[in-house]
Amino acid sequence: MTTAATTATTAGEWSPYGLTEELEGRFGDPHDAALAFSFARLGALDRAEAFPAEVCRQLDTLGLPKWFVPARLGGELRSSEELLQIIRTLGRRDFTVALAHTKTYLGAVSVWVGGSPQQAAWLAGRVMDGAVVSLALTEQSHGSDLLAGELTAERTLAGGYRLDGEKWLINNATRADLVTVLARTDPAGGARGFSLFLVDKSRLAEGSWRPVPALPTHGVRGADISGIAFTGAEIPAAALIGAEGAGLEIILKGFQITRTLCSAMTLGMAGQALGVAVAFAERHELYGRRLADLPQAGRTLAEAYADLLAVEAVSLVATRGIHTLTGEQSAVSAVVKYLVPTVGDQLIAGLRQVLGARAMLVADHAEGTFQKIERDHRIVGIFDGSTVVNLNYLINQFPVLVRGWRGGHADPAGVAASARLDAPPPALDPDALTLYARSGCSVVQALPAAVGRVRDREPDSAVAAQAGRLLVLAGELHDELAAHRPSARDVPEHAFALARDYTLLYAASAALHLWLENPAGRWADSGWLEAVLTRLLRQLSGEPDLDDEDGPALDRLLPTLRRQHREGLLFSLLHCELAEAAGRPTQEGS
């Protein structure tokens, strides 16, 4: 599939959401119930708890699996930005589809990061041919505690391995053709006691494995959330991914990519939830006025929009940072994986107040889209480590974050490349991924220089004042991080609060860098930045909400939100036409 993004790059121009626009055109208007990829058809599947097989087949036909394979291996994937667009586009239409189809990338990424060239080339061919790949990490008795895993891989006399044990609560475990399995290879366990294996189910002896039945879930009701059990399943030595004992390291490096990309799930679902709420507020009348014109409803919509723009800024900078600030991604991915799903949950809950009882209707309002999104989105915070796991991962890196801040360590070129959206990021070097962000976090540590640039650009503006306030709060926060004394067994609640504040600081810094590095078009207007910083500074400072102070900046966002809805555009800082835009053709998987 030739994409708009690829075409734009060839022509010497770059469209950050070019791929999104092409996919939207190919998928067709989701409000057209005649299409398989419509809200009506997918809502019916959810109510029936049925897997969206037809849509997944269409996505295969469109060639989407090629985007799960790096270009160096013959696929279409040139940057994580493209995956961000794909996941966001699928997620806004139906998260069950997004989860089912893009899971293959999560299953394959360990091979892209740590596999041999021969193994990666073989898997690339299988994925591009449509093979489904799953990732089997968790076990029923141990949850996210991967070091407690009991599934074993023992060496055989033939030189391969024998798998015994069960993996549970695995997406696509039953549907998958291939499964990446984390197994204990050292009875003593420990950080070097686990290895990863790429298991081809078709090559396993009959009776050596069985599917564990799918479990009913509150959200993503049609997804294949099941498991797999092995009993003396023999696999060849070539199934080992990387070195024996390197399983956890490879998984954690892969998570630095996939945790960041989980932000696209929130962007897709939260954006569509906002769309449902705006559509209702534009039509529904109360006290003789449209709901959108009433101050309280308008403010709620504006707050949700500001929060969506904030997490979009985080997502864009962090995703490009996978390529441009690769060695810092262990900290950044934890920031993103906590902050974006958390804000998404809060945003969706706030919109429920606008919709009232309609928020809970399964089919009688907007095809039940809102209540499905509210159910489905709750699972995003659990993927690839829960919110608590990610905050704890960030707490463990407090010392390097403090050293980086106090030492003024930053990679200005890397920060600029992360924030500047006029060209694709450079190719990813997987070998640059590290388990510890030794230099800290450049996006935050470049804040003093960014504040100076803001003051030079708009010295007397509200944004300049906000930037100065942010810099003061950043210094105070790092002093508190420095005062924290690490404890492996008893992490105080205060440490989690500090980690949460650090994620807000990252978000504000990312927004500032985006504004500075993209001075043309809508980016030149500081109105969006003022609204975003208003929301973030209020939370970061711990001050109570003061509508009289927050109101003007937020209220100025509302006309833009309503215009984007009216014109069928993505709720975004970037111009992006959705399939609903006037004059766009409706297609069925063409």
Side-chain angles (χ1 to χ4, degrees), residues 101 103-104 123 165 170 255 260 298 318 324 362 412 477 507 510 546 576 579-580:
H101 206 264
K103 179 68 176 184
T104 287
L123 180 59
I170 306 301
F255 274 176
T260 305
T324 62
V362 175
L477 176 59
L546 297 174
C576 179
E580 297 94 316

Side-chain angles (χ1 to χ4, degrees), residues 83-400:
L83 272 177
L84 183 80
Q85 293 181 67
I86 290 171
I87 297 169
R88 182 177 186 175
T89 304
L90 296 178
R92 91 159 185 106
R93 290 167 174 263
D94 184 76
F95 185 50
T96 304
V97 170
L99 188 64
H101 206 264
T102 60
K103 179 68 176 184
T104 287
Y105 180 80
L106 177 60
V109 70
S110 293
V111 175
W112 309 151
V113 168
S116 68
Q118 297 81 6
Q119 191 178 47
W122 178 81
L123 180 59
R126 290 293 306 275
V127 170
M128 288 190 288
D129 285 340
V132 176
V133 189
S134 183
L135 177 63
L137 296 183
T138 55
E139 300 177 11
Q140 187 168 3
S141 299
H142 308 296
S144 60
D145 185 1
L146 300 183
L147 286 171
E150 296 181 49
L151 188 148
T152 60
E154 296 183 356
R155 286 187 175 273
T156 65
L157 294 177
Y161 292 86
R162 168 189 166 127
L163 299 179
D164 290 280
E166 181 178 308
K167 292 294 183 180
W168 172 83
L169 213 59
I170 306 301
N171 183 25
N172 278 351
T174 301
R175 290 183 61 253
D177 304 287
L178 305 159
V179 184
T180 298
V181 180
L182 181 68
R184 183 185 290 258
T185 44
D186 184 340
R192 305 297 296 181
F194 293 82
S195 305
L196 276 175
F197 299 89
L198 181 62
V199 179
D200 186 342
K201 288 159 63 174
S202 69
R203 298 185 181 182
L204 296 177
E206 185 176 353
S208 66
W209 72 278
R210 61 177 174 82
V212 176
L215 297 166
T217 54
H218 181 62
V220 291
R221 291 174 176 171
D224 171 23
I225 308 296
S226 52
I228 187 168
F230 302 98
T231 304
E234 295 195 9
I235 55 176
L240 178 66
I241 301 172
E244 189 171 301
L248 284 173
E249 179 180 349
I250 295 171
I251 284 293
L252 291 175
K253 287 181 177 180
F255 274 176
Q256 292 175 28
I257 300 172
T258 59
R259 281 174 173 164
T260 305
L261 291 173
C262 281
S263 62
M265 301 173 181
T266 291
L267 289 174
M269 283 187 278
Q272 188 55 32
L274 180 56
V276 173
V278 174
F280 174 69
E282 292 286 17
R283 293 191 309 267
H284 188 67
E285 290 194 1
L286 191 64
Y287 311 121
R289 300 170 65 187
R290 283 185 299 180
L291 190 59
D293 293 325
L294 296 178
Q296 184 173 355
R299 178 64 56 79
T300 300
L301 294 174
E303 289 175 347
Y305 186 41
D307 289 346
L308 185 66
L309 296 181
V311 294
E312 182 181 44
V314 168
S315 183
L316 286 169
V317 171
T319 300
R320 291 178 64 88
I322 294 172
H323 300 256
T324 62
L325 295 167
T326 312
E328 301 176 7
Q329 205 61 25
S330 63
V332 172
S333 61
V335 166
V336 176
K337 186 57 177 57
Y338 165 77
L339 180 68
V340 176
T342 300
V343 172
D345 281 339
Q346 295 166 352
L347 186 160
I348 294 167
L351 293 173
R352 190 194 313 126
Q353 307 308 312
V354 175
L355 289 165
R358 289 169 178 81
M360 297 181 286
L361 296 180
V362 175
D364 296 328
H365 179 75
E367 308 297 346
T369 301
F370 187 89
Q371 59 82 33
K372 183 181 189 304
I373 288 173
E374 189 167 26
R375 286 186 286 109
D376 289 354
H377 187 265
R378 295 177 190 177
I379 200 172
V380 179
I382 300 172
F383 285 142
D384 297 357
S386 66
T387 53
V388 172
V389 168
N390 282 284
L391 286 177
N392 195 63
Y393 201 67
L394 197 57
I395 291 168
N396 292 336
Q397 303 202 54
F398 279 0
V400 293

Side-chain angles (χ1 to χ4, degrees), residues 467-477:
R469 175 63 174 150
L470 179 64
L471 188 58
V472 171
L473 291 172
E476 294 173 352
L477 176 59

Side-chain angles (χ1 to χ4, degrees), residues 401-444:
L401 297 177
V402 171
R403 284 199 298 271
W405 174 262
R406 290 181 169 175
H409 303 306
D411 179 352
V415 172
S418 297
R420 194 168 54 242
L421 304 178
D422 58 356
L428 171 65
D429 176 10
D431 292 337
L433 294 167
T434 62
L435 296 183
Y436 206 55
R438 298 184 184 91
S439 59
C441 176
S442 287
V443 168
V444 171

